Amino acid sequence: MSDIDAIIVGAGHNGLTCAAYLGMAGLRVRVFERRGVVGGACVTEEFHPGFRNSTAAYTVGLLQPKIIRDLKLYEYGLRVVERRVQNFLPLPDGRYLLTGDGRTEHEIAKFSAKDATRYPAYQAQIRRVVDVLRGLALAAPPNLTADLRVAVREYSKFATIGKRLWQARSFRTALQLLRQSAGDILDSWFESDPIKAVLGFDAVVGNLASPYTAGSAYMLLHHVLGELNGKSGAWGYAIGGMGAITQAMARVAVKHGARTDVCSEIDEIIVEGNRTVGVVLKDGTSVRACAVIANVNPQYLFQNLLPREAVPQAVAARMQAWKAGSGTFRMNLALARLPDFTALPGPGDHHSAGIILAPNLSYMEQAYRDCIEFGWSRSPIVELVIPSTLDDSLAPPGAHVAALFCQHVSPQFADGSTWDQHREAVADLMIDTVEAYAPGFKASVIARQSLSPLDLERIFGLPNGDIFHGAMTLDQLFSARPMHGFAAYRMPIAGLYLCGSGAHPGGGVTGAPGHNAAQAVIADLLRN
């Protein structure tokens, strides 16, 4: 006998999205969260007295507009503001590139008139592919199984996708973006380094790879699949930090009857007769339900939460080979003042941008090579954002908070050392990297919070610090995410579902896996 209809393991943004949709459908839902706060990696916390910031996830741009509408998040307190400009790339020689509405092509022309002319065509080509793929984000991908009748039907979905790409005059482009490296694609379009650096940065965000690694071009697509205020590929900030998103989601879920228990860690998912029937908490309490929906990374689900004997051998092998580790190092800084960039002195719109410190693709490739050889990049790739420029609720008057999103660092070390030994040295390097572009920055730092891949795993359950719950490579995307035959959110054990970033369409604060998993659960519990 079930106590409730559905249990959700983990109150990250996808779990809360799922809970809200299930509650709206009239199902009885209970969410269990290990930490003392909901939101998962999409949370706002005070890291120094008077200074709050988005601890892990740090910028808005991929959250699905349909989810915002369906959950009425703006009515439940969410406010999002767009960056005044999109990206600022200061260069070591004192020049800079500043992108945004009405200025990108003029800025590119400072470096290459030819590139400025080609940029609109590049954007149009990318957008044609994105317009097709965006439509695939809120639906289960073709689910390739051993059942021949099912396989024929599912393979026909690929033909439909191909037809849409063909009609959009983007089939060839899509194939190139899936197979080639970002560097090769960008080199074929542009001759100047700055625009290639700004665009190529997307290919290494959360992706432990060189921009010249085959398949990295897909990441050029993934980071522009979203939209903000109706603008494709735009980015902004949630007022109150990223936690404002999940707090609004939590309010919606509660409004529709969902109950959330914090400080409630799941010890094991109960399986009886090859079906999940509930969970056991760390304190020994058991709760039974018709469905268990996991908002955790798939490796943790199959290797830690389920009885070993309940996991099919093929699934265990897949999880053993699952690639996870995005090479990410996150920092939150309390600043006495805004950084003053040599390339563009004084305060300005550029402080509201994503500030990219990586002047060219060769620099990014060397950062990757250094990481593989030494454990972290000697000249790291850093994105700096200062949300307090648009949200004065995060810091005391006159002061600011900054987030540093740093690539590439090794998730683990071959010599057996740990991030507890290296964290502060690498944090110093990241601050020194900003200092080189903005002298005086180091002296402005009042306090810092440094999160290595190990910290991201300990705190948020990100495997090896992987912000996507698993590498976004071709063998772990779409119908192969998390594995062939189980890409439609229903896992190999009846009554078990996956709603986290390890499911299609992958990582980022999109809400899409939570939305899609909810549709599968609703179909199974209410329409059968």
Side-chain angles (χ1 to χ4, degrees):
M1 188 74 178
S2 298
D3 302 316
I4 50 176
D5 295 311
I7 289 169
I8 298 176
V9 183
H13 84 280
N14 278 310
L16 294 171
T17 297
C18 187
Y21 276 104
L22 297 182
M24 290 161 65
L27 293 173
R28 298 167 300 160
V29 183
R30 196 163 171 186
V31 186
F32 292 102
E33 168 57 42
R34 174 177 58 87
R35 300 187 72 209
V37 60
V38 302
C42 184
V43 64
T44 307
E45 297 173 294
E46 186 176 69
F47 65 97
H48 185 71
F51 292 85
R52 299 183 306 130
N53 203 14
S54 306
T55 312
Y58 64 102
T59 189
V60 187
L62 299 179
L63 184 60
Q64 287 285 333
K66 179 181 186 294
I67 293 171
I68 294 174
R69 292 193 301 270
D70 289 351
L71 272 53
K72 300 178 181 178
L73 294 181
Y74 292 140
E75 294 180 25
Y76 283 84
L78 178 62
R79 289 176 55 213
V80 179
V81 292
E82 192 175 338
R83 296 171 178 173
R84 293 193 185 105
V85 291
Q86 287 301 308
N87 289 114
F88 172 50
L89 181 84
L91 297 171
D93 65 6
R95 296 182 297 169
Y96 66 87
L97 178 66
L98 195 60
T99 67
D101 282 350
R103 70 169 80 214
T104 302
E105 288 148 56
H106 173 75
E107 287 279 318
I108 296 171
K110 296 189 304 186
F111 302 93
S112 167
K114 178 182 175 183
D115 286 354
T117 301
R118 298 205 74 189
Y119 180 75
Y122 169 83
Q123 288 290 80
Q125 189 174 88
I126 292 292
R127 194 166 291 119
R128 284 195 295 270
V129 179
V130 165
D131 287 345
V132 174
L133 296 188
R134 186 178 285 143
L136 305 177
L138 291 179
N143 200 29
L144 307 180
T145 72
D147 185 320
L148 184 59
R149 289 172 299 178
V150 173
V152 169
R153 182 184 70 238
E154 295 297 304
Y155 271 111
S156 70
K157 295 179 182 178
F158 282 107
T160 301
I161 295 167
K163 181 179 179 181
R164 290 177 189 165
L165 288 168
W166 187 267
Q167 290 172 335
R169 296 177 291 116
S170 56
F171 186 82
R172 181 181 176 187
T173 302
L175 288 180
Q176 288 176 327
L177 288 165
L178 289 173
R179 294 182 307 181
Q180 291 186 297
S181 76
D184 287 339
I185 293 284
L186 294 172
D187 285 342
S188 72
W189 274 94
F190 304 110
E191 62 184 12
S192 61
D193 286 332
I195 187 57
K196 289 191 283 186
V198 166
L199 297 172
F201 173 74
D202 282 343
V204 299
V205 172
N207 183 27
L208 186 51
S210 161
Y212 288 99
T213 298
S216 61
Y218 169 75
M219 299 303 289
L220 297 177
L221 293 174
H222 184 76
H223 286 103
V224 295
L225 284 174
E227 62 181 77
L228 184 65
N229 298 330
K231 297 179 181 179
S232 178
W235 294 88
Y237 304 113
I239 298 299
M242 295 295 283
I245 297 172
T246 46
Q247 289 298 317
M249 289 175 168
R251 285 191 282 271
V252 177
V254 169
K255 173 72 174 179
H256 292 281
R259 170 180 165 182
T260 300
D261 294 74
V262 296
C263 300
S264 299
E265 185 173 358
I266 303 296
D267 185 57
E268 186 175 75
I269 294 172
I270 306 169
V271 180
E272 295 176 357
N274 198 36
R275 181 176 188 87
T276 56
V277 295
V279 299
V280 179
L281 303 183
K282 287 286 187 183
D283 67 5
T285 304
S286 63
V287 183
R288 298 177 74 87
C290 301
V292 176
I293 306 138
N295 184 33
V296 298
N297 77 76
Q299 271 186 328
Y300 188 77
L301 170 62
F302 288 105
Q303 294 179 352
N304 296 83
L305 291 183
L306 287 162
R308 188 177 298 272
E309 64 275 10
V311 179
Q313 187 174 353
V315 176
R318 170 65 168 172
M319 289 299 102
Q320 192 67 34
W322 183 254
K323 295 176 296 185
S326 58
T328 294
F329 192 97
R330 267 288 278 117
M331 295 184 69
N332 294 298
L333 305 180
L335 302 178
R337 57 187 176 277
L338 287 173
D340 193 25
F341 291 92
T342 302
L344 188 55
D349 289 348
H350 61 292
H351 283 111
S352 74
I355 301 166
I356 299 172
L357 308 181
N360 52 58
L361 297 179
S362 296
Y363 179 102
M364 297 180 194
E365 181 177 30
Q366 188 59 50
Y368 171 69
R369 293 183 183 278
D370 281 355
C371 175
I372 299 303
E373 183 175 355
F374 303 115
W376 58 80
S377 48
R378 295 315 199 234
S379 297
I381 303 164
V382 176
E383 182 182 24
L384 167 69
V385 300
I386 313 171
S388 52
T389 55
L390 299 177
D391 178 6
D392 61 9
S393 72
L394 300 175
H400 288 276
V401 294
L404 271 62
F405 195 39
C406 315
Q407 330 289 319
H408 291 305
V409 301
S410 178
Q412 297 180 351
F413 298 102
D415 64 4
S417 61
T418 72
W419 271 107
D420 290 330
Q421 297 166 261
H422 300 298
R423 181 190 305 105
E424 297 312 315
V426 173
D428 288 342
L429 173 64
M430 301 307 176
I431 290 176
D432 288 342
T433 300
V434 182
E435 176 80 14
Y437 291 87
F441 178 77
K442 189 173 184 177
S444 75
V445 176
I446 298 169
R448 73 189 193 188
Q449 177 187 42
S450 306
L451 301 173
S452 70
L454 179 59
D455 298 310
L456 294 170
E457 179 167 1
R458 285 170 174 164
I459 298 170
F460 301 111
L462 304 178
N464 280 327
D466 197 313
I467 63 171
F468 298 139
H469 281 195
M472 302 278 283
T473 50
L474 288 182
D475 58 338
Q476 294 188 177
L477 281 176
F478 205 46
S479 296
R481 194 169 187 90
M483 64 197 89
H484 287 298
F486 303 100
Y489 311 97
R490 300 172 180 90
M491 294 295 99
I493 303 167
L496 180 65
Y497 303 80
L498 182 68
C499 75
S501 294
H504 172 75
V509 181
T510 70
H515 166 281
N516 298 352
Q519 309 317 306
V521 175
I522 291 167
D524 292 348
L525 296 190
L526 294 182
R527 298 174 193 165
N528 285 348

